[in-house]
Amino acid sequence: MAKTNVIEMRNITKQFGEFIANDQITLNVKRGEIHALLGENGAGKSTLMNMLAGLLEPTSGEIAINGEVVSINSPSKAAKLGIGMVHQHFMLVEAFTVAENIILGAETTKHGVLDLKQASKEIKDLSEKYGLEVDPSAKVADISVGAQQRVEILKTLYRGADLLIFDEPTAVLTPAEIAELLKIMKSLVKEGKSIILITHKLDEIRAVADNVTVIRRGKCIQTVEVEGASNDDLAEWMVGRSVSFKTEKRPAEPKEVVLSVKDLVVDENRGVPAVKNLSLEVRSGEILGIAGIDGNGQSELIQALTGLRKVKSGEIILKGVNIVGKSPRQVTEMQVSHVPEDRHRDGLILEMTLAENISLQTYYKEPISKNGILNYTKINEKARQLMKEFDVRAASEVVPASALSGGNQQKAIIAREIDRNPDLLIVSQPTRGLDVGAIEYIRKRLIAERDSGKAVLVVSFELDEILDVSDRIAVIHDGAIHGIVSPSETNKQELGVLMAGGTLEKGDDHV
């Protein structure tokens, strides 16, 4: 028997002034299916789903639930209609417990008094039913990112959601957490829920989705069964051209050592060592990739290299000079560029314009400023030049950075850092949350920097990425380098063994 449509979005158009974010889009989702919504960063996926979740209203078109046309003018109305959205950036109060976050706005009361005990029991029952393991009494600030996401999912289920919208749900998760989330999605649809998965990760679509709708620049390009479409097809529909999943590069020609780290010890925030006697070298003309499970000292290592975190002991030798104790400004002045792992927290000031963000590293230098006075003509001119060179898509250089899609925010940061012509380029999670077109572009830029003689250090949780761009791979485990291997002589399985602290059975040559 054919499944019925639980949601029909018919000819939906959403306009912001002159800009058309969604143009006559039709989307049908059946009961008990996982329907992927695929598109580039900025294609209009989140805008479309924000209308279904009641955060925006369509300019034209209509939405029907179980065949009945409805008006969804607020998130509370969406919740009453059985629609819940798990946002890419979690909407949680860190000082509250898990239970307090889940019931916020839908509190269980007894004689007018908050009944947290009953709410906690209901949450526990829900978590057991759907395999969403959480501790209702734990503070949100103290739980992992994966656990925070489970809290967001429970929030929607607690409110009775039958349709769950997941907006880029794996962007900040580790590989193990991603596998767990995909398993949870499958269990949800088995229980009769329907899911819309906003993503641009083709492997995830292939792993869980039944059907996929592709959106490009605000228009619906194609809706197909996932089994009937190849990754090449999906990528081409998404970006409008064929996309290479393997970055072409010639063999590296490494020369002098630019960065030498010796016996480095760095504490994490609680005063416990996170980096433990770590040593490595990066040469000009090579990309050294660092592979490891999240939480093994990568963040603290990068912060120490860039002057953002105090070093307990050891040396960081940059072009023959020990930079331990130097400020971030002093480090960047030594021709070091840094693309941070969290572009919102550390890479951009979201309220400032795109042009101002592009000038963050050079605002105190001529011609951007003179005698302490900023020259906005030069600032905006420079931004337009880099937007063109690095394909940063925005309405103009004076829109706030918050108005850009994640991919364009990342390209703006990379443009700013590469434009400074660094001797050492440090890049953390270069393509986190980006679509295949942006990934292809950024990886090519990293290799171009290597080919121009730069030393490049890349930290990524994406093993495909590490294998694709690196000339050597240093595996980090428990704060130390556990092995250095050649990408041409290893694979994801072997890297996984090393990342977990294991040893390879065969006599692998370390390079």
Side-chain angles (χ1 to χ4, degrees), residues 124 364 466:
K124 198 165 183 298
Y364 56 94
I466 287 288

Side-chain angles (χ1 to χ4, degrees), residues 274-344:
V275 177
K276 305 170 184 176
N277 295 307
L278 181 145
S279 298
L280 59 79
E281 284 185 347
V282 191
R283 296 174 178 269
S284 67
E286 77 162 347
I287 297 176
L288 177 69
I290 295 186
I293 299 165
D294 190 16
N296 274 267
Q298 297 97 317
S299 298
E300 291 83 0
L301 170 63
I302 299 305
Q303 288 163 4
L305 296 180
T306 52
L308 293 164
R309 184 176 287 269
K310 193 176 176 183
V311 170
K312 193 171 184 181
S313 64
E315 293 182 333
I316 302 170
I317 310 297
L318 178 66
K319 297 183 290 186
V321 178
N322 190 347
I323 62 168
V324 169
K326 289 192 182 293
S327 69
R329 168 70 63 83
Q330 288 172 317
V331 173
T332 58
E333 290 285 5
M334 292 181 71
Q335 297 305 109
V336 176
S337 282
H338 174 212
V339 177
E341 63 180 88
D342 188 328
R343 56 181 167 261
H344 286 174

Side-chain angles (χ1 to χ4, degrees), residues 51 149 154 184 187 194 197 248 365 395 398 454:
M51 287 184 274
Q149 188 164 63
L154 282 166
I184 288 164
S187 77
S194 305
L197 169 62
E248 294 299 318
K365 296 180 177 178
V398 295
K454 308 292 193 290

Side-chain angles (χ1 to χ4, degrees), residues 102-103 106-108 119 122-123 126 154-160:
I102 289 170
I103 67 172
E107 290 85 353
T108 303
E122 289 171 22
I123 290 163
L126 273 175
L154 282 166
K155 262 170 67 177
T156 66
L157 296 172
Y158 186 79
R159 286 157 177 74

